[in-house]
């Protein structure tokens, strides 16, 4: 069951309810509900009205579930969840909607009301995650440039930085800030069509469109239509198209069509265009046309601010020393920082234990010795394993043994310390593109080369021991 047609399902439900719930009740309580998702067993809507869940459950639950049953062909549980975000916008929205309905009513002299779902339909087709908005993005010196650029693009889509290219390490907020642009535009420009996709989905779409079969031309046309009829295209993790020639070509064509007609393009990646191996020069240069903004690892204040932001919405009180402790331990990946925070608060509230440092250490499996990997330590271990000297490993020798040891050491330095490619490059006295190449090579080879993965695992055990 796909979620894409949830708006259609919901519209049909409203169509049925129009016949058996009074118009004022419908407009006051049911129309403002925002369908979120549904599956085999349930249908979930959000509301910004605190009273809606109890009132609807008490008075209209039967009509709603019956209508859903006749549309979906099965019984599902109807869940109404109060959403504070929506509540903040609700009064503004309600006023707008009322005005809109009034207009519609006078237009349709026969009295039928046509509901307006512009922004909801926009939302459903855009592929965006509700969590990733500007409102809950914490700005620090590490992401200031990307943030300001993203705001500018959101306010002036297609006219300022085009494309906006945001890059940085994993878990640092690239997807979040890119989607925030989408949300902002949907909210403020109801006529614009926004589409968020990961480069991986784009690759799949190209592959499907090119698959052999009778409908090949039609599929290709649909593909092109999907991507070329948008006003704002958000492509996440573009590095994943590297080396996929046909996909690159479609990205190139899509880029030209959109850019040429003043449509906004936003791209994220874990590296700059030049650092994407084998990316064609014409794409590299296009990606550099607009603005390139990087996101760095956040400093301790920003990490604490992010946790404080999460703590605000948490059901339990999180003491400041715990926030500081977590922010110190998780220093280079906000996804991991958030994950640890969620584990800690969930554990504490389910098991009703106090949030002190001892408990927190236990919950996150913290040990003092962890996370003190150094480049030198890693190189020593790897050199020992291959029976060469650290100096040889870091040198320029090209024998296959030395070259493999060097690549493995580079791979482990990146994986274990999460330092940047240029920093690793400085240590090895190599260009950072060389470091990148080695890292990618080992990573790719690990998928098929069992001996190599055995080597890496043995080394990891030694280094972590
Ligand atoms: P990336 O795409 O760079 O790998 P994400 O955008 O997925 O990272 O971010 C990982 C997690 O960290 C997400 O849950 C996101 O909401 C959160 N996050 C990242 N940066 C920030 C920030 N500046 N403020 C608040 N949350 C953030
Ligand atoms: Mg991402």
């Amino acid at each position: 069951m796909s979620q894409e047609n949830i708006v259609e399902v919901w519209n049909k439900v409203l169509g049925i309810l129009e016949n058996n719930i009074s118009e004022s009740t419908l407009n006051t309580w049911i129309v403002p509900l925002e369908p979120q998702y549904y599956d085999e067993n349930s249908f979930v809507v959000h509301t910004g009205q605190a009273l809606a869940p109890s009132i609807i459950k008490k008075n209209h639950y039967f009509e709603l579930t019956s209508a859903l049953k006749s549309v979906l062909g099965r019984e599902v549980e109807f869940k109404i969840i109060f959403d504070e975000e929506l509540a903040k916008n609700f009064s503004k929205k309600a006023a707008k909607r009322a005005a809109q309905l009034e207009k519609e009513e006078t237009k349709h002299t026969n009295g039928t009301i046509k509901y307006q779902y512009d922004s909801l339909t926009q939302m459903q087709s855009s592929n965006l995650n509700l969590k990733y908005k500007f409102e809950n993005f914490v700005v620090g010196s590490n992401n200031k440039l990307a943030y300001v650029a993203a705001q500018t693009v959101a306010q002036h889509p297609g006219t300022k930085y085009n494309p906006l290219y945001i890059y940085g390490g994993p878990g640092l907020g690239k997807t979040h800030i890119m989607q925030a642009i989408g949300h902002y535009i949907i909210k403020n420009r109801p006529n614009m069509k926004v589409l968020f996709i990961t480069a991986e989905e784009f690759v799949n779409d190209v592959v499907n469109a090119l698959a052999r079969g009778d409908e090949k031309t039609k599929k290709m046309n649909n593909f092109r239509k999907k991507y070329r009829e948008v006003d704002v295209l958000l492509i996440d993790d573009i590095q994943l198209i590297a080396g996929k020639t046909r996909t690159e070509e479609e990205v190139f064509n899509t880029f030209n069509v959109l850019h040429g007609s003043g449509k906004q393009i936003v791209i994220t990646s874990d590296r700059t265009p030049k650092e994407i191996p084998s990316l064609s020069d014409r794409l590299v240069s296009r990606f550099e046309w607009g603005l390139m903004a990087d996101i760095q690892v956040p400093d301790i204040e920003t990490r604490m601010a992010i946790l404080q932001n999460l703590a605000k919405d948490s059901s339990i009180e999180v003491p400041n020393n715990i926030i500081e402790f977590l922010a110190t331990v998780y220093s280079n990946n906000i996804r991991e920082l958030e994950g640890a925070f969620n584990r800690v608060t969930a554990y504490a509230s389910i098991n009703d234990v106090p949030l002190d440092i001892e408990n927190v250490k236990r919950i996150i499996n913290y040990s003092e010795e962890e996370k003190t990997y150094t480049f030198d330590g890693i190189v020593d271990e790897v050199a020992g394993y291959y029976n060469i000297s650290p100096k040889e490993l870091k040198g320029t020798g090209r024998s296959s043994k030395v070259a493999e040891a060097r690549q493995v050491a580079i791979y482990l330095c990146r994986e274990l310390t999460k330092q940047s490619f240029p920093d690793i490059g400085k240590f090895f006295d190599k260009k950072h593109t060389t470091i990148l190449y080695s890292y990618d090579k080992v990573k790719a080879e690990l998928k098929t080369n069992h001996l190599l993965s055995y080597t890496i695992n043995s080394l990891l055990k030694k280094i972590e021991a």
Side-chain angles (χ1 to χ4, degrees):
M1 178 80 38
S2 82
Q3 278 192 30
E4 274 132 15
N5 51 13
I6 187 166
V7 174
E8 268 167 48
V9 172
W10 185 239
N11 281 339
K12 284 185 197 155
V13 168
L14 289 174
I16 296 175
L17 293 177
E18 230 173 299
N19 301 321
N20 44 29
I21 294 185
S22 81
E23 196 183 300
S24 68
T25 305
L26 198 62
N27 287 335
T28 315
W29 299 109
I30 316 285
V31 172
L33 296 174
E34 305 220 340
Q36 297 295 315
Y37 62 89
Y38 70 102
D39 57 22
E40 283 303 300
N41 309 314
S42 52
F43 191 97
V44 180
V45 298
H46 281 184
T47 174
Q49 294 164 283
L51 290 177
S54 58
I55 290 188
I56 295 173
K57 281 230 156 115
K58 196 163 136 227
N59 301 325
H60 308 292
Y61 195 72
F62 176 75
E63 287 97 329
L64 265 162
T65 43
S66 315
L68 268 172
K69 188 177 171 191
S70 60
V71 175
L72 294 174
R74 62 175 186 280
E75 208 120 10
V76 293
E77 190 188 352
F78 186 71
K79 292 186 188 158
I80 311 174
I81 296 168
F82 174 62
D83 178 335
E84 278 181 42
E85 269 298 300
L86 280 182
K88 283 188 213 141
N89 298 328
F90 181 72
S91 34
K92 257 193 280 168
K93 252 188 170 166
K96 223 169 114 190
R97 221 175 230 145
Q100 182 69 44
L101 283 173
E102 216 170 296
K103 232 167 71 195
E104 288 293 338
E105 231 170 336
T106 37
K107 222 161 52 188
H108 296 262
T109 39
N110 62 0
T112 358
I113 297 170
K114 202 172 142 280
Y115 301 103
Q116 293 293 305
Y117 292 109
D118 276 359
S119 124
L120 181 60
T121 315
Q122 262 182 311
M123 184 58 216
Q124 294 293 341
S125 60
S126 66
N127 223 354
L128 295 173
N129 180 331
L130 273 173
K131 198 185 139 209
Y132 296 150
K133 297 187 175 174
F134 281 127
E135 287 85 336
N136 41 22
F137 189 81
V138 175
V139 185
S141 54
N142 65 309
N143 56 28
K144 187 76 195 258
L145 173 65
Y147 176 79
V148 172
Q151 286 248 318
T152 307
V153 163
Q155 286 157 12
H156 313 276
T159 56
K160 283 278 165 86
Y161 315 121
N162 203 10
L164 172 61
Y165 188 102
I166 301 169
Y167 65 99
L172 295 184
K174 301 182 297 293
T175 303
H176 187 142
I177 204 161
M178 167 187 250
Q179 293 212 5
I181 297 175
H183 281 296
Y184 186 97
I185 294 175
I186 285 180
K187 196 163 149 207
N188 294 286
R189 315 222 178 192
N191 298 324
M192 282 202 169
K193 197 161 161 30
V194 175
L195 179 64
F196 167 89
I197 47 138
T198 64
E200 206 171 4
E201 286 161 347
F202 195 92
V203 172
N204 289 340
D205 266 6
V206 173
V207 171
N208 287 334
L210 291 174
R212 276 170 197 283
D214 312 333
E215 307 223 297
K216 199 168 156 184
T217 324
K218 195 172 140 209
K219 277 201 245 159
M220 204 60 216
N221 286 340
N222 284 344
F223 168 86
R224 297 206 163 122
K225 218 168 134 192
K226 171 173 170 189
Y227 290 105
R228 293 180 191 181
E229 284 185 353
V230 301
D231 299 290
V232 181
L233 182 61
L234 312 170
I235 312 182
D236 206 11
D237 287 322
I238 196 79
Q239 74 277 1
L240 299 173
I241 67 163
K244 307 204 165 62
T245 324
R246 264 312 253 138
T247 306
E248 279 195 26
E249 198 175 317
E250 283 309 322
V251 169
F252 180 75
N253 294 332
T254 308
F255 186 102
N256 289 342
V257 172
L258 291 178
H259 196 275
S261 48
K263 310 296 187 183
Q264 179 68 47
I265 300 160
V266 183
I267 297 167
T268 70
S269 178
D270 65 353
R271 52 192 92 170
T272 64
K274 282 205 182 73
E275 289 170 341
I276 301 177
S278 82
L279 189 68
S280 67
D281 288 345
R282 53 183 198 171
L283 269 182
V284 171
S285 90
R286 271 166 183 73
F287 290 170
E288 290 176 344
W289 269 354
L291 180 77
M292 307 223 297
D294 66 335
I295 302 190
Q296 302 276 342
V297 169
D299 56 22
I300 179 87
E301 285 84 13
T302 310
R303 301 201 298 273
M304 286 180 65
I306 288 171
L307 292 185
Q308 259 137 11
N309 206 25
L310 292 173
K312 235 178 33 211
D313 300 329
S314 164
S315 56
I316 60 170
E317 192 78 29
V318 186
N320 233 341
N321 67 325
I322 298 301
I323 288 189
E324 190 169 354
F325 175 71
L326 289 172
T328 313
V329 176
Y330 295 90
S331 56
N332 47 28
N333 184 321
I334 299 170
R335 187 175 298 115
E336 287 171 6
L337 178 70
E338 245 188 44
F341 178 90
N342 291 337
R343 248 180 298 146
V344 164
T345 49
Y347 185 92
S349 69
I350 292 168
N351 299 300
D352 201 20
V353 298
L355 273 183
D356 55 38
I357 296 275
E358 283 319 303
N359 282 330
V360 168
K361 279 185 180 168
R362 220 170 310 126
I363 300 167
I364 64 169
N365 267 330
Y366 176 81
S367 80
E368 307 286 341
E369 300 99 87
E370 230 174 13
K371 296 189 186 270
T372 48
Y373 307 112
T374 61
F375 293 154
D376 277 311
I378 294 168
V379 163
D380 283 351
E381 282 295 347
V382 177
Y385 189 93
Y386 282 92
N387 218 353
I388 57 177
S389 72
K391 202 165 163 223
E392 259 182 296
L393 189 150
K394 286 175 70 183
T396 50
R398 287 168 185 272
S399 79
S400 64
K401 182 163 98 171
V402 173
E404 182 179 312
R406 189 177 302 131
Q407 284 169 354
V408 164
I410 287 169
Y411 173 81
L412 288 172
C413 282
R414 170 71 177 182
E415 283 291 302
L416 293 174
T417 69
K418 306 276 184 221
Q419 296 294 312
S420 70
F421 291 114
D423 281 346
I424 300 173
K426 260 183 231 144
F427 175 77
F428 282 89
D429 196 19
K430 305 257 177 319
K431 279 198 269 185
H432 78 290
T433 41
T434 311
I435 302 295
L436 246 170
Y437 171 80
S438 304
Y439 174 80
D440 283 344
K441 180 156 183 258
V442 172
K443 192 164 182 173
E445 222 173 282
L446 273 177
K447 291 187 187 133
T448 49
N449 184 337
H450 298 301
L451 185 60
L452 184 66
S453 76
Y454 175 79
T455 304
I456 300 263
N457 279 331
S458 321
L459 276 166
L460 277 174
K461 275 197 201 112
K462 284 190 167 182
I463 294 170
E464 280 167 356

